Amino acid sequence: MKQYLAWAALALAAGAHAQVNISEPWVRGTVPAQKSTGAFMRIQAEQDVRLVAGATPVAGVVEIHEMAMDGDVMKMRQLKDGLPIAKGATAELKPGGYHVMLLELKQPLTAGETVPLTLTFEDASHTRFTREVQAPVRPLNAGNAPMHPASAAEH
């Protein structure tokens, strides 16, 4: 019975991996001495999940963030509980909205390079699983809203 339960738990965890699809990942390039940037992508979920963490060898810290209007001021904040993605929904992580923030960059990121990202998700039963993404670096001016390095320092 224990072997069956262990097998069932592995099967469920493996199924969770297949139920999150990540497309169009990219990272905004940086200038010398810039210590933060954003990663963007589309995440489609076939079950209720939450994007809760990330890791990459190019940054010391990875956080899930949101940019939103607070009165007349656009503010960026960390989503401490992660980003919920409902079953059947697609979360669009893009400049000026939800994004993965790469802080304490270890090197400048130049257009044409690729950044490996490990994203950690949690399902409704609080089981965590990861997805690996290879995100190409786009020029600093890519996207529809600039991410100012100074805003990251406000955290």
Side-chain angles (χ1 to χ4, degrees), residues 87-148:
K87 176 181 178 179
T90 299
E92 189 168 349
L93 281 64
K94 62 184 180 180
Y98 297 115
H99 57 279
V100 176
M101 195 73 194
L102 309 181
L103 303 163
E104 299 177 15
L105 291 175
K106 299 175 182 177
Q107 66 209 36
L109 302 178
T110 306
E113 295 177 335
T114 300
V115 172
L117 288 169
T118 301
L119 301 175
T120 302
F121 295 87
E122 186 174 273
D123 65 18
S125 67
H126 303 290
T127 300
R128 289 192 173 199
F129 59 96
T130 61
R131 289 293 313 267
E132 303 293 325
V133 176
Q134 297 295 318
V137 177
R138 291 187 184 171
L140 179 62
N141 61 355
N144 58 8
M147 291 194 57
H148 300 285

Side-chain angles (χ1 to χ4, degrees), residues 27-49:
V27 172
R28 179 172 286 141
T30 63
V31 296
Q34 185 176 332
K35 292 297 180 187
S36 64
T37 193
F40 312 96
M41 64 204 74
R42 295 171 57 90
I43 303 172
Q44 191 274 327
E46 295 178 14
Q47 63 179 7
D48 289 342
V49 296

Side-chain angles (χ1 to χ4, degrees), residues 27-91:
V27 172
R28 179 172 286 141
T30 63
V31 296
Q34 185 176 332
K35 292 297 180 187
S36 64
T37 193
F40 312 96
M41 64 204 74
R42 295 171 57 90
I43 303 172
Q44 191 274 327
E46 295 178 14
Q47 63 179 7
D48 289 342
V49 296
R50 183 176 298 273
L51 174 60
V52 294
T56 179
V58 304
V61 176
V62 177
E63 297 176 347
I64 313 306
H65 280 216
E66 170 186 39
M67 289 189 78
M69 292 300 291
D70 183 4
D72 292 337
V73 178
M74 178 73 84
K75 292 193 174 183
M76 181 167 47
R77 68 180 178 101
Q78 179 183 8
L79 298 175
K80 295 203 183 276
D81 294 326
L83 174 64
I85 305 168
K87 176 181 178 179
T90 299

